[in-house]
């Protein structure tokens, strides 16, 4: 995969060059105070010379500011991943502080997913009550337990490079209204 940043002119235009004609392209656009825009684009029916073949109309955006804390100690958790719909992802900084920008103002609520190794993953549904910057109550993560896993073949030999996935089946979602 290849990713590039493009300079957008004062007229709101930019040109992406060197794309194979058979390619499908994911384009994401961010701008201060506006919601993230993303589109998948394929060349079918579009003239490669037309710089306006792909248009974005960005909606007003909001930001969420909050902290991720250890449920037991109340201390901030640095390095926790906080994401909105897998498009907008940040890591918490010192003392667990995070800021998610470019969220669509028209959304009634923001489903967030939080993850930090060693802690139980959590989903948080935050109501959108209007302000351009919404300050959240601390979101608490509880420490999880570790489960060692061994993968062997039928003869008992360890299998290196196996892909392992795990999903919690009985997780309880977090809601800002619960606190």
């Amino acid at each position: 995969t290849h990713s590039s940043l493009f300079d957008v002119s004062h007229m709101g235009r930019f040109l992406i060059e060197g794309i194979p004609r058979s390619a499908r392209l994911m384009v994401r656009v961010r701008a201060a105070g506006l919601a993230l825009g993303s589109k998948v684009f394929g060349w079918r029916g579009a003239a490669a010379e037309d710089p306006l073949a792909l248009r974005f109309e960005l909606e007003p955006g909001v930001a969420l500011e909050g902290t991720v804390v250890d449920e037991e100690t109340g201390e901030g958790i640095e390095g926790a991943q906080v994401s909105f719909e897998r498009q907008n992802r940040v890591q918490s900084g010192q003392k667990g502080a995070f800021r998610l920008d470019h969220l669509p103002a028209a959304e009634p609520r923001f489903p967030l997913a939080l993850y930090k190794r060693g802690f139980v993953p959590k989903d948080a549904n935050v109501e959108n009550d209007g302000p351009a910057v919404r300050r959240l109550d601390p979101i608490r993560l509880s420490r999880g337990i570790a489960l060692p896993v061994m993968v062997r073949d039928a003869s008992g030999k360890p299998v290196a490079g196996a892909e392992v996935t795990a999903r919690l089946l009985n997780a309880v979602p977090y809601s800002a209204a619960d606190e």
Side-chain angles (χ1 to χ4, degrees):
T1 61
H2 179 71
S3 181
S4 298
L5 290 176
F6 299 92
D7 290 325
V8 178
S9 76
H10 70 284
M11 297 295 292
R13 297 180 179 181
F14 64 96
L15 180 64
I16 304 172
E17 299 178 289
I19 303 165
R21 288 192 182 273
S22 61
R24 286 174 37 94
L25 183 67
M26 166 63 82
V27 180
R28 289 191 174 150
V29 179
R30 291 178 190 232
L34 298 171
L36 174 71
S38 64
K39 293 184 181 181
V40 174
F41 183 75
W43 289 112
R44 282 176 266 145
E49 296 80 30
D50 181 3
L52 300 178
L54 185 61
R55 295 174 185 242
F56 285 88
E57 291 182 14
L58 301 180
E59 300 292 328
V62 298
L64 298 179
E65 292 182 345
T67 54
V68 182
V69 299
D70 185 316
E71 186 173 63
E72 293 175 22
T73 67
E75 293 184 18
I77 301 172
E78 186 173 352
Q81 291 181 16
V82 182
S83 63
F84 168 69
E85 292 185 348
R86 297 185 184 193
Q87 294 180 10
N88 205 341
R89 182 176 305 159
V90 297
Q91 281 197 349
S92 60
Q94 284 187 322
K95 300 181 182 177
F98 70 89
R99 180 181 169 114
L100 270 172
D101 289 306
H102 311 290
L103 303 176
E107 291 290 321
R109 69 187 56 79
F110 301 112
L112 304 181
L114 294 96
Y115 171 79
K116 171 70 176 173
R117 188 174 180 172
F119 290 83
V120 177
K122 182 175 254 185
D123 292 328
N125 282 308
V126 177
E127 296 295 321
N128 182 4
D129 58 8
V133 177
R134 169 95 155 69
R135 181 77 184 140
L136 306 178
D137 291 333
I139 299 174
R140 303 180 184 286
L141 295 184
S142 59
R143 292 189 179 270
I145 59 170
L147 176 64
V149 178
M150 174 64 78
V151 180
R152 298 181 184 268
D153 66 16
S155 67
K157 293 180 185 172
V159 176
E163 183 177 310
V164 177
T165 59
R167 181 171 56 106
L168 293 174
L169 299 177
N170 63 345
V172 177
Y174 163 89
S175 171
D178 292 343
E179 295 199 4

